[in-house]
Amino acid sequence: MIELKQVTKTYDTGKGALKAVDGVDLSISSGEIFGIIGYSGAGKSTLIRLLNGLEKPTSGTVQINDQVITAIKGVELRKARQKVSMIFQHFNLLWSRTVKENIAFPLEIAGVPKNKRDARVMELVELVGLTGRENAYPSQLSGGQKQRVGIARALANDPEVLLCDEATSALDPETTDAILDLLVDINKRLGLTIVLITHEMHVIRKICHRVAVMEGGRVVELGDVLSVFQAPKEAITKRFVAQVTETEDSNETIKHLRELYPTGDLVKLVFVGDQTEQPILTKLIRTNPVEVNIVQGNISHTQRGAYGTLILQLKGTREEIANAIAFLNNENIQTEVMAND
């Protein structure tokens, strides 16, 4: 569906060249919800502008549905852009137009007759949950409602790809979850490919199938969201995962837990998928003569399954604790001794 090959974008800043995107290779499947995460300056906003042809790469190619976006221009490029829509952080609505007039705007530009335009607008109003608000102006809407208008407008021309540029970062947590649920519903109903950029791991965890982590213009880590949560490799990815797992293995965290639980071993367990629903601790206690105390835990749900971490305090002899850890490993539970007695 989307293929980026060795894509680089360099800007001349007057003080030298700035490489915003540096040799990125990406392949995104049709119907996938794909996340791109990174902090400010990572290059993710530039990358998404390359996907819809608003920017041309300095080198490399961007291909969408067998059409090389980097090789076309003029009328052909404008037609291609109609199949790649975008929603924005700050909504970008026309404040002098009502909800239905905002949604109709791209259809007007495309020359769609008024009767077909009106029917399509009402379909979209219902799809995004704004029935009864179609005659309201943006100033009369909440932030979440404004973003729903933005989503409906982006869907007006039946795009094949929906790009989301920090689409929820201006919203409160509850509204963010509602908008993310809407995007998942649209993805399932329409089979739409969604590419979103964000600096919030909660967004990635909740709706994405795969994620690319960007730093310094490069993709430094790429994979299935559940796999990335289970075993993040890069330091920046570990920081992002810690945003939602709340079990960051920093020296400070371990020191704090050691002060609270000064005896025994502190052991972190990682559960993935169906493991989160298994009575592993019950079996551990029944089969091993160790004292088990739950210190800290968290379960996060992703589109591909659940991911959980649990920190235990294990008390017993060295042999008993070693046998307990061996039992957990035999149950395919990833274990890590964070601190010894």
Side-chain angles (χ1 to χ4, degrees):
M1 165 53 112
I2 301 175
E3 195 82 31
L4 283 76
K5 295 181 180 178
Q6 281 297 295
V7 172
T8 296
K9 180 64 179 181
T10 303
Y11 295 99
D12 184 0
T13 65
K15 296 181 180 180
L18 172 65
K19 194 171 283 188
V21 175
D22 187 5
V24 168
D25 290 305
L26 275 182
S27 182
I28 301 172
S29 301
S30 179
E32 185 173 22
I33 304 179
F34 189 91
I36 301 170
I37 191 167
Y39 292 112
S40 295
K44 58 189 188 299
S45 292
T46 301
L47 188 65
I48 208 167
R49 288 170 64 84
L50 291 167
L51 289 177
N52 62 9
L54 290 176
E55 296 275 6
K56 290 284 188 181
T58 306
S59 61
T61 59
V62 177
Q63 184 173 315
I64 299 178
N65 264 357
D66 300 323
Q67 190 168 35
V68 181
I69 301 298
T70 47
I72 59 176
K73 53 188 176 181
V75 174
E76 195 176 2
L77 179 59
R78 287 194 292 275
K79 286 183 179 179
R81 279 180 181 161
Q82 288 183 354
K83 294 300 179 182
V84 183
S85 284
M86 194 162 178
I87 59 174
F88 305 89
Q89 177 181 0
H90 297 297
F91 322 125
N92 290 12
L93 301 181
L94 298 170
W95 294 87
S96 62
R97 284 178 166 242
T98 63
V99 166
K100 65 182 181 182
E101 289 169 344
N102 265 282
I103 298 170
F105 187 60
L107 297 171
E108 291 174 25
I109 294 174
V112 176
K114 189 176 185 308
N115 61 331
K116 291 184 178 180
R117 196 164 68 222
D118 290 345
R120 177 62 176 156
V121 167
M122 294 315 295
E123 284 178 14
L124 292 167
V125 165
E126 182 178 357
L127 177 66
V128 300
L130 287 174
T131 302
R133 302 293 287 160
E134 55 267 23
N135 293 313
Y137 287 89
S139 61
Q140 299 170 308
L141 303 176
S142 67
Q145 289 172 330
K146 290 172 188 171
Q147 194 56 284
R148 288 173 186 269
V149 178
I151 293 170
R153 181 183 58 188
L155 297 176
N157 280 319
D158 292 316
E160 296 167 350
V161 178
L162 180 63
L163 306 178
C164 307
D165 186 2
E166 298 280 9
T168 60
S169 60
L171 305 174
D172 63 74
E174 186 176 349
T175 305
T176 291
D177 281 347
I179 293 299
L180 294 178
D181 287 340
L182 175 60
L183 290 174
V184 170
D185 182 57
I186 288 169
N187 168 257
K188 290 177 178 177
R189 283 200 202 188
L190 307 180
L192 195 65
T193 303
I194 299 177
V195 181
L196 60 87
I197 66 168
T198 183
H199 63 275
E200 300 171 302
M201 198 62 180
H202 165 73
V203 173
I204 300 293
R205 175 199 52 87
K206 187 172 176 67
I207 73 168
C208 293
H209 301 120
R210 288 193 302 140
V211 60
V213 183
M214 290 194 71
E215 185 176 30
R218 290 181 168 271
V219 172
V220 297
E221 193 156 350
L222 172 68
D224 180 276
V225 169
L226 190 57
S227 299
V228 169
F229 265 69
Q230 180 185 4
K233 296 180 177 63
E234 299 295 323
I236 186 172
T237 311
K238 292 176 181 177
R239 287 169 62 191
F240 279 125
V241 169
Q243 289 179 3
V244 286
T245 61
E246 298 178 355
T247 57
E248 186 174 10
D249 301 339
S250 67
N251 291 332
E252 184 178 345
T253 301
I254 296 170
K255 181 181 177 182
H256 177 65
L257 291 175
R258 184 81 282 183
E259 289 172 354
L260 293 173
Y261 305 92
T263 59
D265 284 12
L266 295 179
V267 181
K268 185 174 83 167
L269 314 184
V270 176
F271 300 86
V272 181
D274 293 339
Q275 292 176 332
T276 58
E277 301 175 7
Q278 301 302 312
I280 300 297
L281 292 188
T282 301
K283 292 170 67 176
L284 171 66
I285 294 168
R286 285 177 178 172
T287 57
N288 290 270
V290 290
E291 184 179 332
V292 179
N293 183 29
I294 297 174
V295 171
Q296 185 174 310
N298 181 279
I299 293 180
S300 297
H301 294 276
T302 75
Q303 287 292 307
R304 297 280 168 82
Y307 164 88
T309 58
L310 200 62
I311 297 177
L312 303 179
Q313 179 191 37
L314 300 182
K315 289 184 179 181
T317 66
R318 297 294 346 141
E319 182 180 0
E320 288 169 344
I321 291 175
N323 288 339
I325 292 173
F327 165 82
L328 292 167
N329 288 331
N330 286 335
E331 293 288 326
N332 295 317
I333 303 299
Q334 181 182 324
T335 64
E336 177 187 349
V337 178
M338 301 174 69
N340 292 114
D341 192 352

